[in-house]
Amino acid sequence: MPITSIFLILLTFIVDFIPYYIFWLVMYGVAEMIWGVSTVASYGSEANLVFQFTMLSLLIPGTLSLVGFMQSYFVWSTGARTAVGPDYDRLYPLLEEICQRGNLDVSRFRLYVQENPDVNAMAMGNKHIIITRGSLIHLNDTELIGMMAHEMGHLQHGHTMVLLFTLGMSWFA
């Protein structure tokens, strides 16, 4: 994993850890005031309990964001839908050409179209490639190959997985 990815994960962890810790510290105090029960005896110390909840608040959503169905949800939430019909007929041969040149398994990737007039594309998770409607309208096949190959590079190098993990760590906030 590149040093920049490690740095991004650590920075996100530190930045999110502080408000999460404060949140759980306040929640611990509120719980004691409302129920009058101290949980310190069962967990060792207030700081230990708050630390555990903080770590869970960071790591569970971060890890869940890497699961396949969550990646599909993120794709869906952008408004992208599976490429079908003429969109699929145009994009799939381009994907095959890229995979053949790069010695990649074409079945590993999923193509989506987002109804957006801008010329753009994005990669999501570990296999999703989203092409905007504007790209399909305004770009020729050679330009689309370049755009798709760029996005596949993000997938191959794990860039989008790092971003999903850091996004997941920030969910709780």
Side-chain angles (χ1 to χ4, degrees):
M1 181 179 296
I3 191 73
T4 53
S5 297
I6 294 168
F7 179 73
L8 178 63
I9 290 170
L10 287 174
L11 184 62
T12 303
F13 181 85
I14 292 166
V15 167
D16 286 342
F17 185 89
I18 295 166
Y20 287 16
Y21 189 86
I22 293 169
F23 171 81
W24 287 114
L25 195 59
V26 169
M27 289 297 103
Y28 179 83
V30 168
E32 277 195 338
M33 284 188 329
I34 292 174
W35 291 291
V37 176
S38 175
T39 55
V40 171
S42 59
Y43 287 99
S45 74
E46 175 181 319
N48 187 31
L49 179 65
V50 171
F51 178 79
Q52 290 173 10
F53 276 117
T54 302
M55 293 298 287
L56 291 172
S57 299
L58 286 162
L59 298 178
I60 289 175
T63 304
L64 283 176
S65 69
L66 303 178
V67 176
F69 73 89
M70 289 304 296
Q71 292 178 32
S72 297
Y73 168 75
F74 291 135
V75 169
W76 176 82
S77 70
T78 68
R81 300 299 178 256
T82 302
V84 294
D87 295 333
Y88 180 84
D89 293 341
R90 182 173 180 202
L91 291 173
Y92 191 76
L94 304 179
L95 177 66
E96 284 181 318
E97 183 177 334
I98 297 166
C99 289
Q100 183 181 9
R101 287 184 189 181
N103 197 25
L104 302 170
D105 180 12
V106 70
S107 67
R108 178 176 171 239
F109 301 99
R110 303 286 181 266
L111 295 170
Y112 300 87
V113 176
Q114 182 187 56
E115 295 299 329
N116 182 334
D118 298 333
V119 175
N120 202 358
M122 68 184 92
M124 187 78 68
N126 59 358
K127 63 183 175 184
H128 309 285
I129 301 169
I130 303 168
I131 307 294
T132 62
R133 177 66 58 204
S135 298
L136 290 172
I137 293 169
H138 299 293
L139 299 180
N140 63 39
D141 287 353
T142 304
E143 293 166 326
L144 278 172
I145 285 175
M147 180 181 269
M148 291 169 64
H150 173 89
E151 298 307 325
M152 290 171 73
H154 287 303
L155 297 175
Q156 289 295 107
H157 292 288
H159 299 159
T160 55
M161 294 300 281
V162 169
L163 291 175
L164 283 178
F165 185 72
T166 57
L167 171 71
M169 284 196 305
S170 298
W171 276 349
F172 188 72

